[in-house]
């Protein structure tokens, strides 16, 4: 069963909440004209009135023309210092869901403010071209015995939203998507559990001056059509560097897809910005078990970065948990797609009955239109625990997004498995790394890479390919290609790396088949 936000682990709550707290400059919801003057004005963005596709963009445009303000929280004192357990003891009442009794294909629920989520988020429901503000009420929530008494019934806003719908069975409304904490959101495909998160925007990720976390400050949710299978919501983004307008068209299934349309209105030149960012966790896997003392073979929400570049080349980059911060940039023009994948779907490779890592979604990003020049950027942060999200991937445009301009872009997110394969094409099934010597410890490393065709062409078995292994430093020896019958028509590539004096080595493996069938290019950064 898909876990609910109140049943998620401490890691999942803290991962998004910690980022939210780190954004010290995040503000409340105030009238645009008063943003620079006062912090005591009541929230008034998602208000009653006419609503069109351009409404949020116009608010963001106006917001960008005044200096960013960082107002203090308006959260009542009784909610200011909730503990984790106290916050979990506040539960939304299902019967209070928006559209609970309307016979529609979706229901909307709200998150209570408190704990790390102290900034009020406004919500409006849109129907027939009119927006109606959704006020907070204590009647929406059950307050358990751990929650302090005396919570006022005033319109203090919410901490986020979540959408429910019949994704796994027609008669049960499972949780499908959550927006909570800064600009973080996450979703699942049919039969999956929460794992990787997405972000509306990443700014200054892993930079020495510190990361900036924009926040979705208000949501407008369109009333779904009774016979439809999609729900549309709009979000207003704001941060010291930029404001922005986002439109999400969400269709649950396998995969669950989101068509995202966004326009940024920068206050300053955006030089270190990440579009369509995904945030995940990698603790250890078959390619990275040094120093691990754990009964489980692997622990991760994603095991690789998949890219299809502008030339149509499909690259697979296994993720690792390095000893020092690592940033990899894959320069490209007109990318066709990229994303953090959870490719390993076998329970035996995790042996975790509670976390169900084999059921975590992959997140595939498919740009709409030409995104021009830039780089798919992968950030790998060292971690000694699975409670930390330590992996980030995003597209960084080459050109600066100038202050005072309007920057529009669009893309599709798919929450599920890997994107479509080419029939007969070979993909990387696994990467394993260990010492090269059987006699004991050795600085030389042995790499074992398995390839297989997820959509084999019947009657067209592959003939032995040629493997070309290249390295930026050190020396490659003992390259061997052999069939792997355990993977059907799979192939295994073995080679050894002598890093010599290098502490970081870029590796690349290209398979060439006699019949020219396509194969993923394996790329890897080895660090000492």
């Amino acid at each position: 069963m898909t876990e609910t936000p109140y049943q998620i682990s401490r890691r999942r709550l803290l991962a998004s909440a910690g980022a939210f707290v780190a954004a010290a400059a995040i503000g409340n919801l105030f009238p645009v004209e008063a943003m620079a003057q006062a912090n005591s004005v009541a929230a008034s963005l998602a208000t009653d009135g006419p609503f069109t596709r351009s409404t949020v963009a116009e608010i963001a445009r106006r917001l960008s023309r005044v200096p960013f303000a960082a107002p203090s929280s308006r959260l009542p004192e009784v909610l200011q210092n909730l503990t984790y357990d106290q916050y979990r003891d506040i539960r939304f009442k299902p019967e209070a869901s928006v559209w609970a009794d309307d016979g529609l294909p979706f229901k909307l629920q709200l998150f209570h403010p408190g704990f790390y989520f102290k900034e009020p988020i406004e919500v409006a429901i849109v129907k027939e071209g009119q927006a109606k503000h959704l006020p907070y009420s204590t009647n929406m929530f059950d307050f358990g015995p751990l929650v302090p008494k005396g919570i006022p019934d005033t319109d203090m806003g919410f901490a986020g939203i979540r959408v429910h719908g019949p994704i796994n069975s027609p008669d049960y409304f499972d949780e499908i998507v959550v927006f909570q904490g800064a600009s973080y959101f996450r979703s699942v495909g049919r039969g999956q559990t929460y794992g990787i998160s997405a972000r509306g925007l990443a700014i200054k990720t892993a930079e020495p001056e510190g990361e900036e976390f924009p926040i979705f400050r208000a949501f407008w949710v369109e009333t779904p059509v009774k016979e439809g299978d999609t729900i549309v919501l709009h979000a207003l983004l704001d941060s010291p560097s930029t404001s922005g307008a986002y439109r999400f068209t969400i269709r649950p299934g396998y995969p669950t897809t989101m068509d995202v349309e966004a326009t940024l209105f920068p206050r300053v030149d955006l030089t270190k910005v990440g579009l369509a960012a995904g945030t995940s966790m990698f603790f250890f896997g078959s390619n990275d078990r040094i120093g691990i003392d754990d009964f489980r073979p692997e622990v991760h929400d994603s095991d690789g970065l998949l890219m299809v570049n502008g030339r149509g080349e499909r690259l697979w980059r296994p993720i690792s948990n390095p000893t020092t911060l690592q940033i990899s940039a894959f320069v490209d023009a007109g990318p066709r797609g990229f994303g953090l994948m959870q490719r390993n779907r076998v329970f035996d490779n995790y042996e975790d009955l509670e976390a169900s890592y084999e059921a975590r979604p992959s997140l595939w990003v498919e740009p709409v239109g030409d995104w021009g020049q830039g780089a798919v950027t992968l950030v790998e942060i060292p971690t000694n625990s699975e409670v930390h999200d330590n992996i980030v991937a995003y597209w960084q445009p080459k050109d600066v997004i100038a202050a005072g301009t309007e920057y529009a872009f669009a893309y599709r997110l798919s929450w599920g498995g890997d994107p479509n394969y080419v029939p007969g094409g070979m993909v990387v099934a696994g990467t394993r790394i260990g010492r090269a010597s059987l006699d004991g410890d050795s600085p030389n490393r042995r790499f074992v890479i398995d390839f297989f065709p997820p959509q084999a062409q019947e009657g067209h078995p592959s003939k032995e390919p040629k493997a070309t292994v290249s390295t930026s430093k050190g020396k490659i020896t003992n390259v061997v290609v052999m069939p792997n019958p355990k993977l059907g028509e799979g192939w295994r590539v073995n080679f050894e790396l002598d890093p010599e004096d290098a502490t970081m080595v870029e590796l690349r493996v290209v398979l060439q088949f006699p019949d020219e069938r396509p194969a993923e290019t394996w790329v890897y950064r080895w660090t000492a």
Side-chain angles (χ1 to χ4, degrees), residues 14-25:
L14 296 182
S16 58
F20 183 84
V21 171

Side-chain angles (χ1 to χ4, degrees), residues 467-486:
T468 302
V469 183
S470 57
T471 180
S472 62
K473 296 178 181 178
K475 183 170 60 176
I476 300 294
T477 57
N478 299 331
V479 178
V480 178
V481 179
M482 65 181 67
N484 184 349
K486 300 298 183 182

Side-chain angles (χ1 to χ4, degrees), residues 48 145 183 229 245:
D48 297 354
S183 68
D229 64 348

Side-chain angles (χ1 to χ4, degrees), residues 268-280:
V268 301
D269 290 348
L270 299 180
T271 58
K272 300 172 182 177
V273 61
L275 310 183
T279 299
S280 192

